[in-house]
Amino acid sequence: MEAYFPRIGGIEIVVQQLAEGFAQRFNDSSYVVTCSKDFQTYSEKRNGVSIISTGTLGRIASLPISPSYPFHLLQQTGDILQLHEPFLLGGMTYLTFLKQAKKRFKRLVVWWHSDIIRQKALAPLYTPLLNAVLHEADAIIVATPKHITSSKFLGNFSAKCHVVHYGVDISKFKETLESETKATYWREKYNKPIILFTGRLVYYKGVKYLVSAMENVPDAHLVIVGKGPLREELEEIAVKCPNNVSFIPFLSETDLIAMYKACEIFVLPSVENSEGFGIVQIEAMACGKPVITTDLETGVTYVNQHGKTGLVVPKCNSQALTDAINELLANSAMRSEMGEVAKSRVFKEFTVEGMVDKTLDVYNKILS
């Protein structure tokens, strides 16, 4: 895969959870081969997981150029090789050294996180590669059924697909004195109902529509947690509502959980299918918060059930976000009921333990 903890993103969190879950169950027999941020190759062991981060010379169209990656990947052996797509270097390595790879690993599993959305001009190059990898796979794992129906690649391979929900460690979201004290701090700091977004400030997150929506939500405060190339552009938009939008580049895990608890509504305004799931929304739901998401074709709206766990609005539509935020702010009973349903849904359907167990079920099935 491309990166691993502490380089944090949705896929990185999932891979870390899986790797550490496997290590706990199989006496530290869990290995991750990833790409480092510089020329050096690093090896370490963390929480029972053996990690090799191979040196990277640069990138071409977001693809890491790591000449040593194939060597280190094929130095490993095991029952299962799991590739996390889209990550073309892993698939290229497997196909280029197919005979050797099949000798070193009994089965190939592809976890399909999303289609490639932005680099459409390169589709003639990467489409045959991804189709070949999917053809070779013994099983394909997706986080929701909508990952299959919304994909341009998985339709021909649906018989191989297995749904395994992403999960969160629910123990981290339980009520504690520390989290409640920090949540109280955030509420008092902003002194208005908090509307929360957390994530990278990149195009497909659609944060500009959320910032614009706040022009007509005068009685709440939007807190944006995250950093990215669009920070300056978003700050310029926020000038129109200077007293109710704040930017926080980073929060520790405990502080972020406190912020989830402090907020009234969590909003994920994504505008492209690059947002395949939205792990942050199940984190907010685990804290008993209603969520507002957009009507993407992906798993985002599988997780957030309109009218039950929150509201779903049209994408790229600031007015729709404004209306949904104001509707929930005006009805505390609705917020509370949706928040409880959301929390129950996460605790039942979206736990780390469930994700690891169901992934192992897939492994056992194809190995038997």
Side-chain angles (χ1 to χ4, degrees):
M1 62 170 295
E2 184 174 347
Y4 189 76
F5 182 87
R7 294 165 65 187
I8 290 298
I11 296 177
E12 289 79 16
I13 291 172
V14 170
V15 175
Q16 180 192 5
Q17 291 169 335
L18 289 169
E20 292 181 0
F22 299 156
Q24 291 172 4
R25 287 163 171 78
F26 298 107
N27 195 29
D28 295 355
S29 296
S30 183
Y31 299 82
V32 172
V33 181
T34 182
C35 296
S36 70
K37 297 177 69 174
D38 53 40
F39 300 152
Q40 299 296 317
T41 293
Y42 306 92
S43 297
E44 62 176 315
K45 194 159 190 172
R46 186 188 300 123
N47 297 333
V49 181
S50 299
I51 306 159
I52 300 174
S53 298
T54 63
T56 303
L57 303 180
R59 290 173 178 270
I60 298 177
S62 299
L63 176 67
I65 307 303
S66 180
S68 65
Y69 180 89
F71 170 79
H72 287 287
L73 179 62
L74 295 172
Q75 283 294 301
Q76 313 306 314
T77 60
D79 291 325
I80 300 288
L81 170 63
Q82 181 160 295
L83 299 179
H84 291 267
E85 298 290 354
F87 175 52
L88 299 181
L89 183 56
M92 290 169 59
T93 297
Y94 187 85
L95 294 173
T96 302
F97 304 97
L98 187 60
K99 289 185 178 180
Q100 185 178 350
K102 287 188 172 184
K103 287 181 180 179
R104 302 195 72 83
F105 302 99
K106 294 179 181 178
R107 298 288 186 270
L108 172 66
V109 174
V110 171
W111 194 308
W112 191 268
H113 296 280
S114 76
D115 287 10
I116 296 175
I117 304 297
R118 199 169 192 184
Q119 290 85 11
K120 294 179 180 178
L122 298 177
L125 298 176
Y126 65 69
T127 296
L129 170 65
L130 290 174
N131 280 328
V133 171
L134 293 170
H135 175 76
E136 290 293 334
D138 296 285
I140 302 164
I141 297 178
V142 294
T144 75
K146 283 194 170 185
H147 281 70
I148 304 171
T149 58
S150 66
S151 173
K152 296 179 180 179
F153 292 89
L154 298 183
N156 292 331
F157 304 98
S158 58
K160 295 183 180 182
C161 291
H162 304 261
V163 175
V164 177
H165 296 160
Y166 297 149
V168 294
D169 181 352
I170 57 176
S171 68
K172 295 179 178 180
F173 298 91
K174 292 180 179 179
E175 303 290 339
T176 65
L177 178 60
E178 180 185 14
S179 67
E180 287 307 309
T181 300
K182 289 184 176 180
T184 299
Y185 164 79
W186 292 122
R187 294 188 192 103
E188 292 178 348
K189 176 180 174 66
Y190 296 112
N191 200 30
K192 287 182 179 180
I194 296 171
I195 312 302
L196 178 63
F197 165 85
T198 180
R200 291 190 301 143
L201 305 184
V202 293
Y203 81 102
Y204 74 85
K205 294 292 185 179
V207 185
K208 66 178 182 180
Y209 298 100
L210 176 57
V211 175
S212 295
M214 294 304 293
E215 288 185 53
N216 297 305
V217 187
D219 297 324
H221 195 97
L222 172 62
V223 177
I224 297 172
V225 180
K227 51 189 176 181
L230 298 185
R231 167 71 181 265
E232 187 174 323
E233 176 186 330
L234 294 171
E235 288 178 329
E236 291 176 0
I237 299 172
V239 169
K240 298 179 181 179
C241 38
N243 297 319
N244 63 341
V245 178
S246 295
F247 294 85
I248 301 176
F250 172 80
L251 287 176
S252 67
E253 183 179 66
T254 54
D255 284 342
L256 180 58
I257 290 172
M259 184 66 82
Y260 283 131
K261 293 179 182 293
C263 79
E264 295 296 328
I265 305 164
F266 181 82
V267 184
L268 187 65
S270 307
V271 297
E272 293 284 355
N273 285 354
S274 302
E275 190 74 83
F277 186 92
I279 289 177
V280 289
Q281 69 173 326
I282 59 173
E283 293 177 342
M285 290 163 66
C287 294
K289 303 301 176 178
V291 298
I292 297 173
T293 56
T294 49
D295 59 350
L296 300 177
E297 299 172 339
T298 63
V300 171
T301 50
Y302 173 88
V303 177
N304 178 28
Q305 299 176 322
H306 180 69
K308 295 181 180 179
T309 61
L311 299 175
V312 177
V313 302
K315 65 182 182 180
C316 305
N317 190 324
S318 292
Q319 186 59 53
L321 289 168
T322 296
D323 293 343
I325 292 169
N326 283 330
E327 179 182 354
L328 288 178
L329 286 176
N331 194 328
S332 60
M334 179 186 291
R335 293 200 308 274
S336 179
E337 181 178 352
M338 286 182 170
E340 286 302 313
V341 174
K343 184 175 182 178
S344 177
R345 178 162 169 73
V346 170
F347 278 49
K348 181 180 179 181
E349 299 287 345
F350 300 102
T351 67
V352 169
E353 293 79 7
M355 177 177 67
V356 174
D357 288 343
K358 290 178 182 177
T359 302
L360 291 176
D361 287 344
V362 175
Y363 291 177
N364 290 328
K365 182 176 180 179
I366 62 176
L367 286 169
S368 62

